[in-house]
Amino acid sequence: MVPAAVPQPPAPPALPERESDLPASRGGGLLWESGISKVAALAWREVTSYFVSPIGYVIAALMVPLVSVFAFLPAVLSGVPIAMDRVYGGLAYLLAFMAPFFTMRLVAEERRTGTLELLLTSPVRDWEVVLGKWLGAFLFFLAITAFLFLFAAVIVYYEPTHQVVSVGGLPLSIGNLDLGATLAGYLGLLFEAAALLAIGLLCSSLTQNQIVAAFVGLVVTLTLVFLLGLGTFLPSPLADISQYLGAYDHFASFNQGRLVAGDLVYFLTVTVGALFLSVRVLESRRWR
Amino acid sequence: MVRRVIEVEGLTKYYDERLAIADVTFSVPRGQVLGFLGPNGAGKSTTMRILTGYLSASSGRASIAGHDVFESPVESRLRIGYLPESTPLYSEMRVADYLRLMCRLRGVHPRRQADRIDFAIESCGLQARRRDIIGRLSKGLRQRVGLAQAVVHDPDVLILDEPTSGLDPGQTRETRALIVELGRRHTVILSSHILSEVSATCERVVIINQGRLVADDAPGNLGKRLSQDRATQVELHVIGDRDRILAVVEKVRGVESVTVNPTEDGSWEVLVTGRRKDLQDALAKAVVKGGQGLRQLQSRQLSLEDIFLELTASEEVPVG
Ligand SMILES: Nc1ncnc2c1ncn2[C@@H]1O[C@H](COP(=O)(O)OP(=O)(O)O)[C@@H](O)[C@H]1O
Ligand SMILES: [Mg+2]
């Protein structure tokens, strides 16, 4: 009963017409070849599944009150002229807490339910999966922070002069909005979100347990945003290193209206690095 | 187009130190429905995961329509529709939306997607379920959605890992019928640990045990070939003289051994083993001609199930 000695079975009957051995009119041309259409399809699925999943609702529902209470209101109540940087600043800290919850599901859940096997055996490259999922999380972040424009609009409405309006006896100070600084701060926020979401995605790709993914992600993002910024107390070379590695200072530089190449490089390095590692983690399954 | 759609050569896979499949070689011509049969842990899923590019092999080659699964994974996967063992689906999505996503991921032209989705939904009998959320469907219907996603991009090859496991008998029957239907349009590899399933749906059976191929033939031939070089056993109940019975029976051509035991009703129970297809007929004729009273006669032919069990029974297999 040696396999090699087994005779080949008879020829099969002819199949009904097929256009080719390829999928029915494979298409999309360059968009397909470049992977853009696949990345877009994956990102879109992630965005829509955020809006049907409880965690998506919870995050979206928490976002406005949290930012309002911790960032917008204190600024407005402070009595000094305000701009968006106060809001961005609050959000930049909040993001360290929230990003891992945005991303914990992305790969871990697919690993747990087994859908990852179906995804990775589709004609999709590993980097397309990673990029699509990251982009989905990023677009979701954009969507649920869209209310920031509302805050900005409130400020702009009172442009050009700073004034104090009284609402229910509370003196509210509303101020001049510097468009350049507003956009720079927003850009800084986007870069920080990009980096933290990429780190969260990496953590999600390492496990099939969402809670573990969120917890490990939290440890990393909190360290990056809070802990390293406190390194100024360390002896001199360590202090500089820790400050450079901390994410908040790089964001703060944007938020002060400065566009510095170094900050850009920092966020791009973290983002691309974490995405690259995620791709390697997905690839590693083959060697196990 | 390549005639051998699936070619597997010397495929070997170790999980760490553990050997899962060893030197698996077979090829499947276009249009064939191949049953991949073996007990649990035989290495069926491992082979399929290598074919779909989910795992890499430790050594050996595999190709789909001439595209090596390791060297050009995207090209080979374009031609594969795969249903993993556990039927993993995005349970929060609606059936049609899910199929659209799969079309997009698998390169169906945007203008053809609606047609392909309709086709998949109709051929899998899901017309009434288009808008249903997948997670709320019954196991049998989810299995159909799994098959629909496998065919939605009209792949050359379907790889179905135990497509009826966990279904009730009615659902199993429906799913088998559906697979037979799909087999008209696609080359299919279907794994199973149930012999009757494979012989009912497949033109050809490959039996794998402990990671090695042990048989490869049409289901009919498999039974025939195996029973040919195998002794058949016939049990007779005869009245008469013990020695005469023995003499008559032993003279029949092909008989190898005879044992005679007394029974309570005064007849003799005669157990005959021999290598001859019509052993039963020959024995009956000989006994009657010899003037003995034949009370009862039955053949103990091995069923396909016995053959399968015998082939896959744990035995020492040389490693190398
Ligand atoms: N991920 C894995 N890691 C280690 N061993 C595995 C893994 N998957 C399967 N195996 C082992 O490989 C062998 C073949 O498994 P599998 O291909 O799943 O068999 P089948 O699908 O025929 O039941 C089994 O002994 C199984 O325990
Ligand atoms: Mg299996």
Side-chain angles (χ1 to χ4, degrees), chain B residues 40-41 44-46 85 161-162 191:
Chain B
N40 285 327
K44 305 181 294 291
S45 299
T46 302
E85 197 166 355
D161 197 353
E162 308 220 9
S191 80

Short mmCIF file of all heavy atoms in Angstrom, two decimals, chain B residues 40-41 44-46 85 161-162 191, ligand 2:
data_model
loop_
_atom_site.label_atom_id
_atom_site.label_comp_id
_atom_site.label_asym_id
_atom_site.label_seq_id
_atom_site.Cartn_x
_atom_site.Cartn_y
_atom_site.Cartn_z
N ASN B 40 -9.57 11.28 12.89
CA ASN B 40 -9.14 12.55 13.49
C ASN B 40 -7.65 12.52 13.78
O ASN B 40 -7.13 11.53 14.24
CB ASN B 40 -9.90 12.81 14.78
CG ASN B 40 -11.32 13.24 14.50
OD1 ASN B 40 -11.58 13.91 13.50
ND2 ASN B 40 -12.25 12.85 15.34
N GLY B 41 -7.00 13.62 13.46
CA GLY B 41 -5.56 13.71 13.73
C GLY B 41 -4.71 13.09 12.65
O GLY B 41 -3.49 13.02 12.78
N LYS B 44 -5.43 15.74 7.80
CA LYS B 44 -6.25 16.30 6.73
C LYS B 44 -6.22 17.83 6.76
O LYS B 44 -5.92 18.48 5.76
CB LYS B 44 -7.70 15.82 6.84
CG LYS B 44 -7.85 14.32 6.88
CD LYS B 44 -9.31 13.91 6.97
CE LYS B 44 -10.00 14.30 8.26
NZ LYS B 44 -9.53 13.57 9.45
N SER B 45 -6.52 18.39 7.93
CA SER B 45 -6.55 19.85 8.04
C SER B 45 -5.18 20.45 7.76
O SER B 45 -5.07 21.49 7.12
CB SER B 45 -7.02 20.28 9.42
OG SER B 45 -8.33 19.81 9.66
N THR B 46 -4.15 19.78 8.24
CA THR B 46 -2.80 20.28 8.01
C THR B 46 -2.51 20.37 6.51
O THR B 46 -2.01 21.39 6.03
CB THR B 46 -1.78 19.36 8.70
OG1 THR B 46 -2.08 19.31 10.09
CG2 THR B 46 -0.37 19.87 8.52
N GLU B 85 -12.48 24.07 8.85
CA GLU B 85 -13.23 23.07 9.60
C GLU B 85 -14.32 23.67 10.48
O GLU B 85 -15.41 23.14 10.58
CB GLU B 85 -12.23 22.28 10.46
CG GLU B 85 -12.77 20.98 10.97
CD GLU B 85 -11.65 20.09 11.52
OE1 GLU B 85 -10.46 20.47 11.39
OE2 GLU B 85 -11.98 19.04 12.05
N ASP B 161 -13.03 21.57 4.37
CA ASP B 161 -12.53 20.76 5.49
C ASP B 161 -13.70 20.31 6.36
O ASP B 161 -14.30 21.10 7.05
CB ASP B 161 -11.52 21.58 6.31
CG ASP B 161 -10.66 20.69 7.20
OD1 ASP B 161 -10.93 19.48 7.27
OD2 ASP B 161 -9.72 21.21 7.81
N GLU B 162 -14.01 19.04 6.31
CA GLU B 162 -15.11 18.43 7.07
C GLU B 162 -16.37 19.29 7.00
O GLU B 162 -16.86 19.76 8.04
CB GLU B 162 -14.68 18.20 8.52
CG GLU B 162 -13.37 17.44 8.60
CD GLU B 162 -13.33 16.39 9.70
OE1 GLU B 162 -14.37 16.13 10.31
OE2 GLU B 162 -12.25 15.82 9.90
N SER B 191 -12.65 16.92 2.86
CA SER B 191 -12.11 15.99 3.85
C SER B 191 -13.23 15.48 4.73
O SER B 191 -14.26 16.14 4.90
CB SER B 191 -11.03 16.65 4.70
OG SER B 191 -11.63 17.42 5.72
MG MG C 2 -9.20 18.42 10.82
#
